[in-house]
Amino acid sequence: MDHKRIGIMYVLYALVFLLIGGLEAALMRLQLLRPLASYVSPHAFNQLFTMHGTTMIFYVAMPIMFGFVNYLVPLMIGARDMAFPRLNAFSFWLTALSGLLLYYSVIGGYGLYGDGNAPEIGWWAYAPLTEKAFTRGHSSDYWTLSLLLSGFGTIATAINVLVTLLCLRCPGMTLGKMPLFAWLSATMSVLAILALAPLTAAQLMLMVDRYLGGHFFDTQAGGSAALWMHFFWIFGHPEVYVLVIPAFAFVSEIVPVFSRKAMFGYPVMVAASVMIAFISMSVWAHHMFTMGMSAPANTFFVLTTMAIAVPTGIKIFNWLATMWGGKLELASPMLFCIAFLFQFLIAGLTGVMLASAPLTWQLSHSYFVVAHFHYVILGGIFFALFGAFYYWYPKVVGRMMSEKLAKWHFWLFVMGFHLTFDVMHIPGLLGMPRRIYTYEPGRGWDVWNLIIGVGAAVQMVATLIFVVNLFWSARRGKLAGSDPWDAWTLEWSTSSPPPAYNFATLPEVKSRRPLWDLKHPEDPDWRYE
């Protein structure tokens, strides 16, 4: 029940599903490579985008973030384990079971009447598509039950992280001296608890509809399809910040180390993170502008969606201010963070565009929205995540990853990403709807979809290089030592990999950079904080 082993299991589990989700995306791009293609059937295409979206959000992004948090939080705050080790293990196995249950639907979803197979309701599962009249068999039930289990596991982990941060900090580590990673882990955990509760409630209501004669979402019996949309997006948009706040945490630890400067504006960074979490709970209905809400409701969600750009902009400013005047070392973790800053800025700008209700009336359900979403998830979250892999891998494994392979991974992934998702905005502006499995020639989409497909192939090659680097470096990589980056937080004070008990004696800290104080007793940080 060592938190480090559980963290590694979360990450390895997510990497397996990353390959599965990537394969599903490749099959969809193959189908859209040319007009009137028939590589997969419409039925199979619906299943592919349902399973791809569900997999990447619930079984790749969330587990991998909680894996990093599990591994690093106790080490960073000078604790020997999480507050509830057994609950920690139970949470992981709930998440693991839920993913296996989802994919069991491929063979188990046929049910008694030969209907079903994998779910084909989209990762958002809009009503009334999920009602029995439209989704026979058990495929939707597997989707519902798997997300219920995943939600319980995630909420339990979030509670565990919060209790650990509040109760197990080492002597001297006040809240104001916690690393930014710890602060953002706490913020993400609170947001996960708040966001997953309505999704869990909606799943239970859906099960009542399907099996106990309820009519929450059954429009033919007086239910409301819009009710499901509200429940889902009250979860769905904060969920983006559940994923992006850990990405902010990675960047906030990596950028100062490779700039050789303390983080600019630590208190403001903490405040901006809390504000992002707070505002994110009030923006969900910008996904529903085309539904026909009232003008005051539209206006409210336009304003809140634009407002969330302010604390996000503050964070970008602080990262740039940290880099400004620093001695930049462009190792692979820093390269991925720099790319993150540029790409997340673009993602935020297109997000502000989509905050405009009249523009969203034109672009909603088009490939412009798909491009924006992937700019956030892939261009923002995954670039920061790759930086985190290259930064903390030496601590976890005890060996350095190959810098040569890392640079190949970085440049290929950057090229493939921009070839895919920069271009994807264009067919969206030209009116290409999302979720279509084919299209007629001559609509102006043909060349753009071909370029997008080529970019997706380049990204797959880059990802395979990353996976090879992970496993090759574990056996052949250069020995890392305890602190290969000359970093400043407590996890780098232990051996690589750390012992099961983390610290023989609990450390005592006086500042936000305890290792700087240790290495530079003539100029410690605590004099200035």
Side-chain angles (χ1 to χ4, degrees), residues 156-207:
T157 301
I159 293 170
N160 207 349
V161 171
L162 276 176
V163 175
T164 302
L165 286 166
L166 290 174
C167 301
L168 297 185
R169 300 190 307 278
C170 67
M173 184 172 285
T174 62
L175 291 175
K177 289 185 174 61
M178 286 200 307
L180 279 171
F181 186 98
W183 258 111
L184 272 69
S185 297
T187 307
M188 178 265 284
S189 298
V190 171
L191 197 54
I193 295 167
L194 294 175
L196 281 159
L199 179 67
T200 302
Q203 303 287 13
L204 293 172
M205 293 160 73
L206 179 57
M207 293 299 288

Side-chain angles (χ1 to χ4, degrees), residues 278-341:
F278 177 77
I279 299 172
S280 75
M281 293 300 296
S282 63
V283 301
W284 77 88
H286 67 222
H287 293 272
M288 301 163 59
F289 283 150
T290 57
M291 189 188 74
M293 296 187 298
S294 66
N298 283 345
T299 302
F300 173 80
F301 288 106
V302 164
L303 294 174
T304 55
T305 305
M306 290 183 174
I308 204 166
V310 175
T312 308
I314 290 170
K315 295 182 81 68
I316 291 175
F317 170 81
N318 280 26
W319 288 318
L320 292 175
T322 302
M323 294 165 62
W324 184 264
K327 297 179 180 178
L328 299 186
E329 181 184 345
L330 297 180
S332 50
M334 188 63 166
L335 286 176
F336 277 98
C337 288
I338 291 171
F340 161 87
L341 291 175

Side-chain angles (χ1 to χ4, degrees), residues 109-185:
Y110 283 100
L112 297 175
Y113 306 104
D115 298 302
N117 207 333
E120 49 180 322
I121 50 179
W123 81 280
W124 56 89
Y126 278 174
L129 289 176
T130 48
E131 295 296 322
K132 281 249 179 179
F134 303 100
T135 308
R136 300 180 65 194
H138 301 299
S139 58
S140 295
D141 302 324
Y142 280 101
W143 182 87
T144 300
L145 290 172
S146 64
L147 264 60
L148 269 174
L149 287 176
S150 173
F152 289 138
T154 302
I155 289 172
T157 301
I159 293 170
N160 207 349
V161 171
L162 276 176
V163 175
T164 302
L165 286 166
L166 290 174
C167 301
L168 297 185
R169 300 190 307 278
C170 67
M173 184 172 285
T174 62
L175 291 175
K177 289 185 174 61
M178 286 200 307
L180 279 171
F181 186 98
W183 258 111
L184 272 69
S185 297

Side-chain angles (χ1 to χ4, degrees), residues 271-402:
S273 303
V274 174
M275 284 303 298
I276 288 170
F278 177 77
I279 299 172
S280 75
M281 293 300 296
S282 63
V283 301
W284 77 88
H286 67 222
H287 293 272
M288 301 163 59
F289 283 150
T290 57
M291 189 188 74
M293 296 187 298
S294 66
N298 283 345
T299 302
F300 173 80
F301 288 106
V302 164
L303 294 174
T304 55
T305 305
M306 290 183 174
I308 204 166
V310 175
T312 308
I314 290 170
K315 295 182 81 68
I316 291 175
F317 170 81
N318 280 26
W319 288 318
L320 292 175
T322 302
M323 294 165 62
W324 184 264
K327 297 179 180 178
L328 299 186
E329 181 184 345
L330 297 180
S332 50
M334 188 63 166
L335 286 176
F336 277 98
C337 288
I338 291 171
F340 161 87
L341 291 175
F342 172 71
Q343 290 157 185
F344 195 74
L345 175 62
I346 296 175
L349 292 174
T350 56
V352 172
M353 290 170 62
L354 291 169
S356 169
L359 184 63
T360 300
W361 293 338
Q362 302 299 317
L363 295 177
S364 184
H365 304 295
S366 78
Y367 259 84
F368 189 93
V369 177
V370 178
H372 161 71
F373 181 69
H374 283 82
Y375 237 98
V376 173
I377 299 296
L378 205 59
I381 294 167
F382 270 82
F383 268 81
L385 185 60
F386 285 133
F389 266 104
Y390 288 112
Y391 182 63
W392 278 293
Y393 183 91
K395 176 55 57 181
V396 176
V397 178
R399 293 181 180 270
M400 304 293 290
M401 292 185 76
S402 165

Side-chain angles (χ1 to χ4, degrees), residues 7 14 78 84 94 107 171 214 225 263 285 290 308 329 347 427 436 444 456 475 491:
F84 306 114
L94 269 184
I107 57 174
M263 173 57 71
T290 57
I308 204 166
E329 181 184 345
I436 59 170
R475 297 179 62 87
E491 75 272 23

